[in-house]
Amino acid sequence: MFWNLLFVVIVTLLRSVSAAESVAVHDAETGLTYSQNFALYKVDGRGITFRIAIPSNVSSNSAYDVVVQVIIPNDVGWAGLAWGGSMTKNPLMVFWRGSNNQPVLSSRSASSHTPPQLYTTATYILFNTGTKSNSTHWQFTALCTGCTSWAADGGAVRYVQPNGGNRLAFAYSPTKPSNPSSPTSAITVHDVHAYWNHDFGTARNAGFEAAVQRLLGSQGVRA
Ligand code: HEM
Ligand SMILES: *[C@@H]1O[C@H](CO)[C@@H](O)[C@H](O)[C@H]1NC(C)=O
Ligand SMILES: *[C@@H]1O[C@H](CO)[C@@H](O)[C@H](O)[C@H]1NC(C)=O
């Protein structure tokens, strides 16, 4: 009984803290303004910061690119962002650090609550700028194409709407993938998952395209 009650209290704490409002954050390094939410995974206050920037000129019910910047405590084994706010039938961005501590991004999707498969419809380009680490955290900044639209059951197309709030979800595991330098590595189930409402209205950037071209650097190409 006590343990059940304690569990409920902890889960409630985790839920309420991670349901905090989105805040707008300007990051001078990447030159973009992000809508940010903090997703708590430990009651001691540890959590993952998710930042999203989108173009200003996109309309509802359309697909568009996003820049995602994530700040991750070094004890995270793997974590993931579900662009459609649930584990199944939406693009999952899964991330961890490789054997040289390099960021590894893995695009996945799942049709049930079993290990997600690779999902090649959503692709990520990792930027050098905005990707770094120190003794407590690491962070990456990436461009995603294919994260804001996907095919749901029965053929309906779903969108992450650019005008207001969208439910997003994350999952956290303390366990590193078995083959950490490979984006196709197996992963084991998460310890924590949670949802929040992420404001996309404040994620809009008039200079999105120009910033992305700068971040892509001399290559100047999009995958
Ligand atoms: C080995 C990989 C994985 C396994 C075996 C797994 C398994 C499961 C299981 C069994 C549940 C149900 C838990 C419950 O009902 O309490 C669940 C829920 C969930 N998982 Fe996973 N999962 C995996 C990876 C992921 C990843 C990569 C993400 C996100 C990026 C994710 C996000 C979620 C979310 C948000 C839920 C809540 C229910 C839902 O929204 O569908 N999972 N998972
Ligand atoms: C938005 O603006 C950019 C840069 O001017 C342009 O390349 C893009 O096609 C525009 N997108 C839409 C949906 O109008
Ligand atoms: C470590 O890096 C994170 C993410 O970039 C940053 O938020 C934090 O302030 C840094 N800490 C120190 C001590 O520099």
Side-chain angles (χ1 to χ4, degrees):
M1 181 59 200
F2 171 76
W3 291 110
N4 281 345
L5 200 61
L6 185 65
F7 179 75
V8 169
V9 168
I10 289 173
V11 168
T12 309
L13 270 173
L14 280 171
R15 290 224 169 108
S16 54
V17 179
S18 57
E21 293 295 306
S22 303
V23 294
V25 174
H26 181 75
D27 174 45
E29 199 177 4
T30 54
L32 288 163
T33 298
Y34 300 83
S35 167
Q36 164 179 308
N37 271 75
F38 182 71
L40 197 69
Y41 63 83
K42 281 267 162 67
V43 279
D44 66 7
R46 272 175 276 173
I48 298 174
T49 301
F50 289 97
R51 294 177 171 166
I52 290 168
I54 67 171
S56 59
N57 61 343
V58 285
S59 39
S60 304
N61 301 319
S62 69
Y64 50 93
D65 289 355
V66 295
V67 171
V68 56
Q69 183 171 77
V70 187
I71 302 172
I72 308 132
N74 286 341
D75 65 287
V76 169
W78 69 261
L81 176 68
W83 291 97
S86 67
M87 178 166 166
T88 58
K89 311 212 163 99
N90 70 124
L92 304 176
M93 176 182 78
V94 187
F95 47 90
W96 60 81
R97 295 177 96 183
S99 24
N100 297 320
N101 277 340
Q102 77 278 21
V104 177
L105 298 193
S106 180
S107 185
R108 309 265 177 134
S109 78
S111 51
S112 63
H113 288 139
T114 53
Q117 307 295 302
L118 289 182
Y119 179 68
T120 53
T121 311
T123 55
Y124 297 88
I125 297 176
L126 194 63
F127 296 132
N128 287 325
T129 306
T131 298
K132 58 187 182 183
S133 64
N134 59 30
S135 60
T136 60
H137 292 76
W138 60 287
Q139 77 168 57
F140 69 85
T141 306
L143 177 73
C144 181
T145 302
C147 287
T148 56
S149 160
W150 60 92
D153 267 348
V157 180
R158 292 274 148 74
Y159 298 97
V160 179
Q161 297 295 356
N163 296 312
N166 291 279
R167 189 179 85 158
L168 301 183
F170 92 112
Y172 152 83
S173 167
T175 310
K176 256 197 161 183
S178 47
N179 185 14
S181 292
S182 167
T184 65
S185 178
I187 56 174
T188 53
V189 65
H190 36 83
D191 283 15
V192 175
H193 71 264
Y195 311 100
W196 68 94
N197 188 43
H198 203 108
D199 181 28
F200 277 63
T202 54
R204 290 167 163 257
N205 282 258
F208 185 86
E209 286 297 329
V212 165
Q213 288 307 322
R214 267 198 313 276
L215 290 164
L216 285 168
S218 52
Q219 309 171 58
V221 271
R222 284 198 152 168

